[in-house]
Amino acid sequence: MCCYFFGPIPIAAVEPLKERPRVTHLFVAINTGVWMVINILKVHAHYGAAGSSLPARILNGLAFTPTVRYPWSYVTSAFTQESLLHLISNIFFLWMFGSFLEERLGWKRYLALLLVGGAMGCVVHDQILVLRGLTEIREHPLIGASGMVFTILGAYIVLLPSLEFKCFYIWGLLWHWTMDTIMIP
């Protein structure tokens, strides 16, 4: 019998936060709200209650498309997610690691870090497509908070390298799980 290992997945810090992470909670709420509105519009469009192109037009207006380059799309693309799993994974890392960064940096510097990280995610994505010669893909819109998430993870590794987390481990076919405390290097 083969046993697979998925993890560790951090679920709580050993040391609690000293103050409430307002910017992190706001970004989680905005991401969730935008995803819900777009998916409600998709359901209405599917059943003919709204124009069938409305959700696509909203997504295209918020998404970053390198060939169109709306100035606001560098930031708004980070608030749109494709699927529920995409939403959950991005807001999980935003909440788990961003909360501690917000406490360390203060809300103003943390907000600037998130906005710059989201915009730079778009720029780096576009430049990678150009360098690889994938110009036809530049027509497709880019959505998701991955630029913010990677910025948060990078800043977290630099600024809080010794913060310990309680982690969730999933083992193989039986989905047996255990809890442990680790220190992320």
Side-chain angles (χ1 to χ4, degrees), residues 9-163:
I9 301 168
I11 58 168
V14 174
E15 295 178 24
L17 292 168
K18 294 175 184 76
E19 59 185 58
R20 178 186 235 173
R22 287 178 167 64
V23 173
T24 300
H25 288 173
L26 177 66
F27 274 51
V28 166
I30 291 171
N31 272 292
T32 305
V34 168
W35 182 84
M36 288 175 63
V37 167
I38 288 172
N39 280 285
I40 288 170
L41 290 173
K42 284 180 183 178
V43 169
H44 283 300
H46 179 72
Y47 291 107
S52 62
S53 66
L54 183 61
R57 286 194 328 231
I58 291 173
L59 269 177
N60 286 336
L62 295 175
F64 173 75
T65 306
T67 56
V68 177
R69 294 190 191 218
Y70 296 124
W72 60 84
S73 69
Y74 286 93
V75 174
T76 59
S77 64
F79 296 110
T80 55
Q81 314 298 322
E82 178 61 29
S83 65
L84 183 59
L85 183 60
H86 190 200
L87 172 73
I88 289 170
S89 61
N90 279 335
I91 65 173
F92 173 76
F93 281 98
L94 179 67
W95 167 72
M96 177 56 70
F97 297 103
S99 300
F100 294 98
L101 273 178
E102 182 176 353
E103 185 174 87
R104 171 76 187 265
L105 295 174
W107 74 269
K108 290 179 184 176
R109 291 192 309 174
Y110 176 69
L111 177 63
L113 178 76
L114 286 178
L115 296 177
V116 169
M120 290 308 295
C122 295
V123 171
V124 168
H125 173 78
D126 183 36
Q127 292 306 307
I128 288 172
L129 292 178
V130 169
L131 290 173
R132 293 189 66 200
L134 302 171
T135 55
E136 68 278 354
I137 296 176
R138 294 180 74 222
E139 301 290 328
H140 301 286
L142 172 70
I143 60 172
S146 298
M148 285 183 186
V149 168
F150 281 106
T151 302
I152 286 171
L153 291 176
Y156 178 86
I157 289 170
V158 170
L159 296 174
L160 300 167
S162 62
L163 189 64

Side-chain angles (χ1 to χ4, degrees), residues 3-6 169-178:
C3 188
Y4 300 101
F5 173 71
F6 303 97
Y169 293 89
I170 301 174
W171 292 93
L173 303 174
L174 301 176
W175 292 91
H176 172 75
W177 63 275
T178 60

